[in-house]
Amino acid sequence: MFKALFNEDIEITYPKDQILKTSDGKWKQPKAFRITVGETNKNVDVNLLKKKLVTGSISGATCIIESANRTIDPDNGKEIIEIYISNIKRYFNNGEYII
C-alpha cells in the first residue's frame, strides 16, 4: 500500500529485535582462603592440592579444594597460597591450621 501511494519501498522494524536481553546465567562468588607461605609450607606443590579434603584443626570444619595457586599479597608483598573451595561444612576459624 505504501508503494502504491508514495512509490517507495519501506522497511519494517520491530522493537523486540532491538531489545537487549539480560543473561539468565547463574553467577556464584567463589569461596577461598589464603595461607601465608612460611618455613613449614614453602615446598607445598599447589598442583597436588586439587580435589583434596581439608579439615580445620580447631573447628573441625571441612571442605574440598577446587584449585590452588601461589601469588603475592598486594597489601604486604608476602607470598601466599590462594585456595578455592567448595562443599564447605561448618566455618573455619581465622588463623587455624588445616590438615
Side-chain angles (χ1 to χ4, degrees):
M1 182 162 167
F2 198 85
K3 176 84 169 165
L5 292 174
F6 299 104
N7 198 24
E8 291 186 24
D9 291 327
I10 62 168
E11 182 179 330
I12 299 175
T13 59
Y14 298 98
K16 70 176 184 176
D17 296 332
Q18 298 175 359
I19 294 175
L20 288 175
K21 295 179 183 177
T22 59
S23 171
D24 62 350
K26 304 291 185 242
W27 184 79
K28 289 175 149 182
Q29 174 113 13
K31 303 228 187 283
F33 53 85
R34 293 177 167 188
I35 299 173
T36 304
V37 175
E39 287 300 316
T40 56
N41 59 3
K42 68 180 178 183
N43 295 323
V44 171
D45 183 359
V46 293
N47 296 319
L48 299 177
L49 296 176
K50 191 172 183 179
K51 300 298 179 195
K52 299 289 184 193
L53 179 68
V54 173
T55 304
S57 62
I58 298 169
S59 64
T62 62
C63 66
I64 295 177
I65 297 174
E66 294 297 324
S67 66
N69 57 37
R70 286 181 183 267
T71 188
I72 302 296
D73 187 341
D75 295 332
N76 60 21
K78 293 183 180 180
E79 184 178 16
I80 59 170
I81 300 173
E82 287 184 321
I83 298 177
Y84 294 91
I85 57 176
S86 66
N87 297 343
I88 304 162
K89 308 288 188 236
R90 297 175 39 190
Y91 290 108
F92 289 87
N93 292 337
N94 191 23
E96 76 177 312
Y97 291 99
I98 57 172
I99 304 166

